[in-house]
Amino acid sequence: MALQITVDPDSATAPFEQVRAQIAEQARSGALPVGYRLPTVRGFAEELGLAANTVAKAYRALEADGVVETRGRNGTFVAAAGDAAAREAAEAAVAYARRAHRLGLDRTAALGAVQDALRAVYEER
């Protein structure tokens, strides 16, 4: 099993985001199992023809999302992302619900705003 990432230089999506999204999807789908060691930032950047900072930014975003964990000099590994992603999504949902309530939105209006946002985000892919 090897990490398979392609970066389209003509895409409107930034290269770091392309890398982040593809690694996240492969981790979610199980193509990259929990504990899989990602390539070093510099080595992977060289392989992809990107700047090291671009790959580092993708790795930082993946770590912030709980998809990977960095173990210092030992490297970056795929984490148990499903649990972390579900937990973070639930926390974000609660924060949104509280904010919408404070703004005076009723349940129907708050749910409509979420549905519009989800439609916009998921259809842009």
Side-chain angles (χ1 to χ4, degrees):
M1 157 196 18
L3 181 59
Q4 299 293 319
I5 302 292
T6 57
V7 176
D8 178 3
D10 297 324
S11 174
T13 304
F16 93 89
E17 175 58 20
Q18 292 180 52
V19 172
R20 186 213 59 79
Q22 289 177 58
I23 292 173
E25 177 55 34
Q26 290 178 40
R28 261 192 299 280
S29 73
L32 294 177
V34 171
Y36 177 85
R37 185 173 188 223
L38 296 177
T40 64
V41 168
R42 288 183 186 184
F44 200 35
E46 188 174 308
E47 180 182 325
L48 295 173
L50 298 172
N53 285 341
T54 300
V55 173
K57 185 174 182 180
Y59 279 21
R60 282 192 304 273
L62 289 163
E63 187 167 27
D65 291 344
V67 176
V68 301
E69 59 186 13
T70 300
R71 300 178 190 161
R73 295 186 143 263
N74 292 321
T76 302
F77 298 82
V78 173
D83 294 340
R87 185 172 47 255
E88 189 170 335
E91 290 170 3
V94 168
Y96 169 76
R98 287 183 177 142
R99 177 79 172 138
H101 188 263
R102 279 194 309 269
L103 291 170
L105 296 178
D106 64 18
R107 182 183 295 237
T108 302
L111 185 56
V114 168
Q115 289 171 327
D116 289 345
L118 287 170
R119 194 173 307 108
V121 169
Y122 280 86
E123 290 178 4
E124 80 180 19
R125 291 180 177 205

